[in-house]
Amino acid sequence: MDLHILEHRVRVLSLARRGLWLYTHPLLKLLFLPQRCRCKFFSLTETPEDYTIMLDEEGFKELPPSEFMQVADSTWLVLSVVSNGRAPSGSQATGVTKIARSVIAPLAEHHVSVLMLSTYQTDFILVRERDLPVVIHTLAGEFDIYKEESGECVPVTCDDISNGFLKPKPSASPTLHPVQSPQTRFCILTVAPDTLPAIATMLIDVLFYSHSPPREPGATSQDLDSITFFAFSLIEGYISIVMDAETQKRFPSDLLLTSSTGELWRMVRIGGQPLGFDECGIVAQIAEPLAAADISAYYISTFNFDHASPRRASLRSSSCCSSARTVADSGCCPRTGWPRTVARWGPLLPTPPFIIFQFRGSCSVGQSRVQRHSLSAGDMGNGGFRNPVA
């Protein structure tokens, strides 16, 4: 496999919901007229608290500074895994679990914080620009690494960045953070670029006018039986949309392209309070056991929280997987070697109870504990799962 460092230099920011009126015009330009601003990487995600925007420097120029906008101080580079010399371009990817062992886990071991953006077409890994030397040194043994420059792919070796390599600092102690599992069902889909004008009016309504009230700080998991979440990405001409099943009904069905099975996804929202960008390892701790169990999942980082979406059918099938093992008496996970306070797996049985993982993540992906919750078949419903009890 090849690892491509894309040309985009991405900024990550949060827009307060009460200040959306100030940014409506530039956001419409980024959504529907990217050629006017030469923006090639744009992602907008609405959550109950705010709007998270990831966009390249050309797009960032379109957004005026204001009290409503909070910008992460780092510039982020975009990594993409390419198989057989070709990046996925139109088929639905199987989610972040595809790259868990080869990319995410090694970066976590070297204390590199990442942001994840799963789209309908592929998965993007965002790393701080200043962490690039560590990234290349970490992954050079597994991948042929290329850096895009002026549209050309130039090979990158460790020697090219040796002067910038710094030994990573020791990681902080693991921290436990809450997780909520709203009942809302989501679909992940795309539309052909030439049909985007046909749904423009509906997109504008959903993004700018169909607002739920902001979530109050300190709201509990019971307040998240349903959740406002809408993600739109326009990256190098490819469109990806994540919306709940009820919102999907408002769009013309013949213009929305999704998997042939029409599968729905359940979201796990990670983090009780807004978290920073400096921790590392959470995506690895989530994605690795899912990958071992052959469970597909999508993962979208936002400014304050992380959102993982396992396929609904996979949640039920996970009860039959034997890849997860009981924690050894020594206190370490036999598969990862992590201390028991970091990763804790229960035996997955062919009959109920089913296993649901509790994990912590943020817009950065940090170390955490992973705990298990056993739910009955009635709790699972149609392959979904309810809010875990702390």
Side-chain angles (χ1 to χ4, degrees):
M1 292 189 294
D2 299 339
L3 181 72
H4 285 206
I5 306 168
L6 306 185
E7 287 186 291
H8 315 295
R9 300 179 74 248
V10 172
R11 303 304 302 270
V12 179
L13 59 97
S14 168
L15 283 183
R17 295 170 70 91
R18 67 182 186 280
L20 184 62
W21 61 272
L22 182 61
Y23 293 91
T24 301
H25 181 269
L27 288 177
L28 288 175
K29 185 177 180 181
L30 290 164
L31 280 164
F32 302 113
L33 299 171
Q35 67 279 8
R36 295 286 183 92
C37 55
R38 295 182 296 177
C39 180
K40 296 181 179 179
F41 191 105
F42 173 71
S43 176
L44 172 66
T45 303
E46 180 187 7
T47 64
E49 296 79 14
D50 63 357
Y51 292 82
T52 293
I53 300 177
M54 301 180 184
L55 74 175
D56 60 27
E57 292 180 315
E58 290 296 325
F60 185 65
K61 295 176 183 177
E62 299 291 329
L63 303 179
S66 77
E67 62 179 314
F68 305 114
M69 184 170 72
Q70 183 180 0
V71 184
D73 57 2
S74 301
T75 300
W76 300 77
L77 300 179
V78 183
L79 310 181
S80 178
V81 176
V82 179
S83 300
N84 300 320
R86 298 179 60 186
S89 58
S91 60
Q92 189 176 22
T94 58
V96 71
T97 50
K98 290 177 60 179
I99 53 178
R101 292 189 183 91
S102 56
V103 178
I104 298 172
L107 291 181
E109 292 172 0
H110 286 79
H111 317 308
V112 175
S113 178
V114 305
L115 303 177
M116 284 302 310
L117 179 61
S118 293
T119 69
Y120 183 92
Q121 292 82 15
T122 189
D123 299 289
F124 297 104
I125 308 163
L126 280 69
V127 298
R128 286 187 178 98
E129 190 170 26
R130 66 172 181 260
D131 288 334
L132 184 60
V134 180
V135 171
I136 293 176
H137 270 272
T138 300
L139 301 179
E142 182 75 19
F143 294 91
D144 293 325
I145 303 177
Y146 298 88
K147 186 174 183 178
E148 293 187 358
E149 296 180 355
S150 303
E152 299 292 330
C153 292
V154 180
V156 176
T157 66
C158 291
D159 294 336
D160 296 333
I161 47 81
S162 58
N163 291 335
F165 179 73
L166 298 175
K167 185 177 180 180
K169 298 179 180 179
S171 58
S173 300
T175 306
L176 177 65
H177 294 273
V179 58
Q180 296 92 30
S181 171
Q183 296 296 314
T184 314
R185 298 178 299 169
F186 291 91
C187 51
I188 300 168
L189 49 91
T190 186
V191 297
D194 58 353
T195 64
L196 186 58
I199 63 171
T201 302
M202 187 57 63
L203 275 176
I204 293 171
D205 181 51
V206 170
L207 281 171
F208 300 111
Y209 297 101
S210 301
H211 302 304
S212 63
R215 181 179 174 224
E216 293 296 327
T220 64
S221 59
Q222 285 76 15
D223 299 318
L224 285 172
D225 287 340
S226 62
I227 185 173
T228 298
F229 189 92
F230 188 95
F232 177 95
S233 298
L234 178 55
I235 300 174
E236 297 183 344
Y238 293 104
I239 296 171
S240 177
I241 302 174
V242 180
M243 68 175 77
D244 63 77
E246 290 302 313
T247 301
Q248 181 188 13
K249 296 176 182 178
R250 301 169 59 182
F251 288 82
S253 59
D254 59 326
L255 298 181
L256 303 181
L257 307 176
T258 186
S259 66
S260 58
T261 60
E263 60 195 356
L264 297 176
W265 301 70
R266 296 293 293 272
M267 178 176 294
V268 177
R269 177 181 164 96
I270 310 149
Q273 297 294 327
L275 300 165
F277 291 84
D278 294 327
E279 298 180 28
C280 58
I282 282 301
V283 175
Q285 294 183 34
I286 297 167
E288 275 206 297
L290 294 178
D294 196 25
I295 297 175
S296 176
Y298 284 78
Y299 202 105
I300 296 179
S301 301
T302 60
F303 199 89
N304 293 313
F305 302 99
D306 272 12
H307 305 82
S309 299
R311 184 185 290 118
R312 291 181 63 215
S314 297
L315 291 169
R316 180 166 295 183
S317 65
S318 67
S319 63
C320 302
C321 296
S322 60
S323 57
R325 299 287 185 254
T326 305
V327 178
D329 293 337
S330 63
C332 294
C333 174
R335 182 175 56 78
T336 65
W338 285 326
R340 183 170 54 186
T341 55
V342 176
R344 193 168 189 176
W345 315 111
L348 298 184
L349 307 175
T351 57
F354 294 89
I355 300 300
I356 299 301
F357 297 111
Q358 173 171 350
F359 41 80
R360 172 260 179 239
S362 65
C363 46
S364 66
V365 284
Q367 285 196 337
S368 77
R369 303 181 198 174
V370 181
Q371 294 186 330
R372 67 184 178 94
H373 292 275
S374 299
L375 304 181
S376 67
D379 296 331
M380 294 291 292
N382 294 326
F385 51 96
R386 68 181 184 183
N387 298 330
V389 178

